Amino acid sequence: MLSSSSTAVKDLLLKKRLCFLLKLACCVSSVLIFCEFLIYYVVIFQCRWPEVKGGAHMSKKETSTSVLKAIILADTHLLGEIKGHWLDKLRREWQMERSFQTALWLLQPDIVFILGDVFDEGKWSLPEAWADDVRRFRKMFKFPVSTELVVVVGNHDIGFHYEMTTYKVNRFEKVFNFTSGKLITRKGINFVLVNSVAMEGDGCTLCRAAEAKLVALSHKLNCSQQKPNHSNKRCSDVEKLPASEPILLQHYPLYRKSDAECTGEDSASPEEKNIPFKEKYDVLSQEASQKLLWWFHPRLILSGHTHSACEVLHAGKIPEVSVPSFSWRNRNNPSFIMGSITPTDFSLQKCFLPYESRVFTIYCAAGALLVILILAHFQLLTPPFYFAQHLISKHKAV
C-alpha cells in the first residue's frame, strides 16, 4: 500500500518536472523563433513603396508596367577567412539573409541594387577564399526569376586604387557581370554603373579604360536626349537610348567636405560628422566628381561607402543619397532604400531593419523571466506576500 502510494507520488513529481521542462522549452523556442525569424516580418511588413507623382491616379496594372520598384542597399561586408570570427560571421550572415529574403517575399521588387563592398576581404582574398565568399553570397542573396540583382564594385571587393589589379577586377566582373560604364535600361529608365575606385585620375591602365567607357556612354545618352529636330552630325550614327536622364550607381560618394550637413537617425554620429573627408579615400576627388556631373547630368546619384545615411545636393539641383550599411556589424540600425522610379520621376523611402539593441533587450528580458520561473518552481524565490509579511512582523517586534 505504502509502496504503491510512494510510486504514485514519484510519477506525479516526474510528470510535473517534465511538464515544467516542456514549458521552458516552449518559452525558449518562442523567443528564438521571434527574434531570429518572425521579427524581420513584423518590421519589414511596415514598409511601403513610395508613390511617384501621378502614381496615385494609376491602376495597379498601369503602375506595374510604368513604375520600376527598386531596392537599394550597400556595404554588406561578408566576412572572410582572415578577419572574420566564425560566430560573428554566422550571426551577421543570418541577419542579412533573413532581412533580404523577407524583403523580397514581402515587397516583391523588380530589381535590387547593391552599391559595393559586398565582401570585406575581396581586396586580398586568395582564390579558394574568394570562391567560398561567392558561394555564401549566392546563398544569402538568392533571388527569384521575377527579380533582378545588380551589384556595383567597391574598394573592399577589389582593393583601394593602389591595391586594385586587373585580376581582382576581372574576377569580380566575371561573378557579377559588372563593368564600369555599363548601362542598364529597365522600363525606359537608364542606370549607369560606375567603378568609382577607378576614378583616381592618375591615368592608370584600369582608370583610363573605365573613363573611356564612361565618356562613350555619356555621348550616347546625350545624343539620345536631343530633340528630334535637332541635327548633330556627331549623333547621326549613335545608337538611340531612352531619352531619360540617367541615375548613377557607385560605391564612393561624390566629393563633399564631411557629413556635417547630414541629418537623420542613421546619419553619422556627432563625433564623426565634423571629421573632414579625404579625397580618393572617403569620397571621390573634386575633379572626378565634376567629370561625372558634366558627362551625365544625372537626375539622381546613389552611393554607399560611408556606412551612414546622407542626402546632399550637387550644383544646387542634383540629389545624391548615400545609403547606410546593410550589416549589423557596422550599424545598430541598418536599412535599405525603396525606390519607385519612372523615366521622368522617382520617389525614395527608407526601410529600417530590426534594431539589434532591441533584439538584445528581448533576449535579456526573456532570460530574466526564465530565471524567475525556475527559482519559483524550485521554491527558491520567496513569494512577495510572505516576504512582506516577514517585514511587517519584524517591524512589530521592534
Side-chain angles (χ1 to χ4, degrees), residues 37-46 98 101-102 105-106 354:
F37 190 78
L38 294 179
I39 193 170
Y40 299 100
Y41 289 89
V42 172
V43 173
I44 296 175
F45 180 76
Q46 301 173 56
R98 288 313 328 142
Q101 296 304 326
T102 303
W105 191 79
L106 288 175

Side-chain angles (χ1 to χ4, degrees), residues 65-105:
T65 55
S66 61
V67 178
L68 184 76
K69 295 189 296 183
I71 282 179
I72 305 103
L73 54 100
D75 296 277
T76 54
H77 284 274
L78 270 70
L79 294 172
E81 65 173 6
I82 299 173
K83 294 172 65 177
H85 186 275
W86 69 268
L87 184 59
D88 192 16
K89 188 185 295 185
L90 180 70
R91 177 69 182 151
R92 303 312 176 193
E93 290 182 7
W94 170 258
Q95 290 172 318
M96 288 191 286
E97 181 177 354
R98 288 313 328 142
S99 298
F100 186 75
Q101 296 304 326
T102 303
L104 288 188
W105 191 79

Side-chain angles (χ1 to χ4, degrees), residues 234-367:
R234 292 185 62 200
C235 296
S236 57
D237 298 326
V238 174
E239 174 193 359
K240 289 295 184 289
L241 301 169
S244 173
E245 293 179 325
I247 294 174
L248 295 190
L249 304 172
Q250 57 194 55
H251 182 63
Y252 286 156
L254 295 191
Y255 175 78
R256 60 177 183 259
K257 291 182 179 179
S258 68
D259 270 353
E261 303 300 320
C262 304
T263 58
E265 60 184 297
D266 55 348
S267 60
S269 64
E271 299 80 25
E272 296 175 320
K273 280 187 175 181
N274 293 312
I275 299 175
F277 281 150
K278 183 180 177 182
E279 292 185 50
K280 304 180 183 182
Y281 188 86
D282 299 307
V283 292
L284 287 177
S285 66
Q286 295 185 58
E287 181 186 358
S289 301
Q290 287 301 319
K291 279 182 179 179
L292 289 172
L293 292 173
W294 184 65
W295 287 339
F296 294 103
H297 305 285
R299 55 178 168 139
L300 173 65
I301 302 158
L302 295 166
S303 60
H305 189 55
T306 63
H307 298 177
S308 300
C310 190
E311 296 181 22
V312 294
L313 281 177
H314 296 285
K317 59 181 180 178
I318 302 173
E320 177 180 3
V321 177
S322 290
V323 183
S325 176
F326 191 69
S327 173
W328 281 261
R329 196 167 188 260
N330 299 321
R331 304 196 59 80
N332 175 47
N333 57 343
S335 62
F336 59 87
I337 301 292
M338 299 166 61
S340 297
I341 310 170
T342 68
T344 57
D345 200 8
F346 64 87
S347 184
L348 305 179
Q349 180 72 42
K350 193 168 293 179
C351 181
F352 282 96
L353 302 176
Y355 281 50
E356 188 162 49
S357 56
R358 291 175 185 172
V359 174
F360 183 70
T361 301
I362 293 171
Y363 274 129
C364 289

Side-chain angles (χ1 to χ4, degrees), residues 15-28:
K15 284 182 180 178
K16 283 185 176 180
R17 285 175 184 173
L18 288 174
C19 185
F20 177 69
L21 288 174
L22 185 61
K23 287 178 180 177
L24 284 182
C26 286
C27 289
V28 172

